[in-house]
């Protein structure tokens, strides 16, 4: 089973990119973020014939997440537990059966949190606390579980080409990184870092100041794995070349292959 995550930065603007990615890479599951559309505006008709089932949580002009799967989507959840008043579309989860069992997959778009200090940063930290509680509950079920998405977290200095530029940013502040580490301390595994410790592996390049051309990137798109999923991990690929496409997203897909 090949599971990918990709912040497309507007599904309407990046539909052809998504179609190309699905054709070229043929992932079994794709977790999408920043759709920037409501459910009724999602291009289901344009994706008919690609062979993917769709579960999504949309929001007008902002946020929005989806799971596309070649296999059936079961037990779909559209909200992260812990705050019934939270109306932002940042979480969708489903059980996906495989050939050797099933995997529970959550697609998330964790809040950016800037500027700091602000209510936005407080919301980010509170959202991470809710994700921690949900992950702890899922880990107790001892099943293959994957949290995939745009975490808006730079875990370590080596995950940024120029970490000194990010020291005051919500993505790299110590409380942000500490809460990310607390997820790992629950027993989750960073899929990419389970396969390599290499620096220079990025998933986001800003549109400004020639960041792509200078390879001034950061790694903020992650797949976190339960031990049962990590045991089945075969490989992880950053599909970097998509950033060089015409009018690309500022993020690139990250794809992991599992023995599932």
């Amino acid at each position: 089973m090949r599971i990918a995550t990709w912040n497309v930065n507007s599904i309407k603007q990046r539909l052809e990119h998504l179609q190309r990615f699905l054709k070229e890479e043929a992932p079994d599951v794709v977790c999408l973020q920043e759709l920037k559309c409501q459910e009724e505006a999602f291009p289901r008709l344009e994706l008919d014939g690609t062979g993917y089932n769709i579960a999504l949580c949309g929001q007008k002009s902002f946020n929005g997440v989806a799971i596309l799967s070649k296999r059936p989507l079961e037990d779909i959840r559209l909200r992260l537990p812990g705050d019934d008043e939270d109306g932002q579309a940042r979480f969708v989860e489903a059980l996906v059966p495989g050939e050797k069992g099933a995997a529970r997959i959550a697609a998330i778009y964790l809040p950016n949190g800037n500027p700091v200090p602000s209510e936005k940063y407080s919301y980010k930290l509170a959202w991470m606390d809710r994700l921690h509680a949900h992950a702890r509950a899922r880990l107790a079920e001892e099943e293959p579980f994957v949290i995939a998405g745009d975490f808006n977290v730079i875990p370590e200095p080596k995950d940024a080409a120029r970490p000194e530029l990010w020291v005051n940013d919500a993505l790299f502040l110590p409380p942000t990184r500490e809460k990310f580490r607390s997820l790992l301390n629950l027993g989750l595994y960073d899929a990419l870092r389970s396969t390599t410790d290499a620096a220079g592996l990025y998933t986001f390049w800003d549109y400004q100041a020639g960041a792509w051309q200078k390879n001034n990137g950061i790694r903020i798109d992650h797949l976190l794995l339960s031990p049962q999923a990590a045991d089945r991990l075969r490989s992880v690929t950053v599909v970097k070349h998509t950033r060089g496409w015409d009018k690309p997203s500022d993020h690139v897909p990250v794809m992991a292959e599992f023995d599932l």
Side-chain angles (χ1 to χ4, degrees):
M1 183 185 292
R2 304 173 79 200
I3 301 174
T5 180
W6 193 9
N7 179 324
V8 292
N9 191 8
S10 175
I11 188 64
K12 293 180 180 178
Q13 294 186 34
R14 243 64 71 177
L15 177 59
E16 291 184 3
H17 295 69
L18 175 60
Q19 291 170 320
R20 179 176 175 182
F21 174 70
L22 296 178
K23 182 177 180 180
E24 291 182 358
E25 302 294 339
D28 297 286
V29 180
V30 184
C31 298
L32 301 176
Q33 303 91 45
E34 211 168 350
L35 304 177
K36 296 183 179 179
C37 71
Q38 294 176 308
E39 285 89 341
E40 57 270 23
F42 189 83
R44 291 179 181 270
L45 290 177
E46 291 85 345
L47 291 171
D48 277 352
T50 59
Y52 288 89
N53 301 296
I54 300 170
L56 69 98
C57 181
Q59 183 177 348
K60 185 177 181 180
S61 302
F62 298 97
N63 307 322
V65 288
I67 300 176
L68 278 59
S69 173
K70 290 183 177 181
R71 306 179 188 197
L73 291 167
E74 304 171 358
D75 193 21
I76 297 170
R77 314 280 179 98
L78 298 181
R79 287 288 185 271
L80 179 66
D83 185 356
D84 293 339
E85 301 300 317
D86 185 2
Q88 297 194 26
R90 295 184 175 274
F91 179 91
V92 60
E93 182 183 274
L95 188 67
V96 181
E99 296 177 359
K100 301 178 181 180
R104 190 174 300 275
I105 302 170
I108 73 163
Y109 180 38
L110 202 148
N112 177 286
N114 283 301
V116 178
S118 69
E119 292 183 1
K120 291 183 177 180
Y121 190 58
S122 298
Y123 173 65
K124 179 190 186 86
L125 297 181
W127 207 95
M128 295 183 80
D129 287 338
R130 290 163 56 199
L131 182 63
H132 185 280
H134 182 65
R136 184 174 61 239
R138 285 290 184 229
L139 286 168
E141 297 171 0
E142 297 186 352
E143 64 181 357
F145 176 50
V146 179
I147 307 174
D150 177 359
F151 280 70
N152 272 312
V153 176
I154 306 169
E156 300 290 343
K158 65 183 176 183
D159 295 310
R162 299 183 63 189
E164 69 276 8
L165 298 180
W166 299 91
V167 291
N168 295 317
D169 193 282
L171 279 63
F172 196 54
L173 286 175
T176 303
R177 296 164 61 197
E178 288 169 7
K179 289 188 181 294
F180 186 83
R181 282 195 297 271
S182 75
L183 286 170
L184 301 180
N185 290 339
L186 285 173
L188 292 170
Y189 293 81
D190 181 336
L192 183 66
R193 288 303 175 207
S194 295
T195 64
T196 178
D197 289 326
L201 298 171
Y202 311 129
T203 65
F204 171 92
W205 294 261
D206 195 272
Y207 292 127
Q208 306 297 320
W212 167 245
Q213 292 77 10
K214 298 174 183 176
N215 197 29
N216 183 14
I218 55 176
R219 187 176 77 95
I220 57 176
D221 302 270
H222 311 295
L223 293 97
L224 299 190
L225 316 178
S226 71
Q228 295 76 17
D231 285 346
R232 294 164 171 81
L233 179 65
R234 289 182 175 177
S235 64
V236 180
T237 304
V238 178
V239 192
K240 184 178 178 179
H241 71 272
T242 62
R243 185 61 175 81
W245 289 351
D246 185 47
K247 298 180 180 179
S249 170
D250 40 10
H251 297 251
V252 300
V254 183
M255 185 159 56
E257 184 172 355
F258 298 87
D259 185 20
L260 277 166

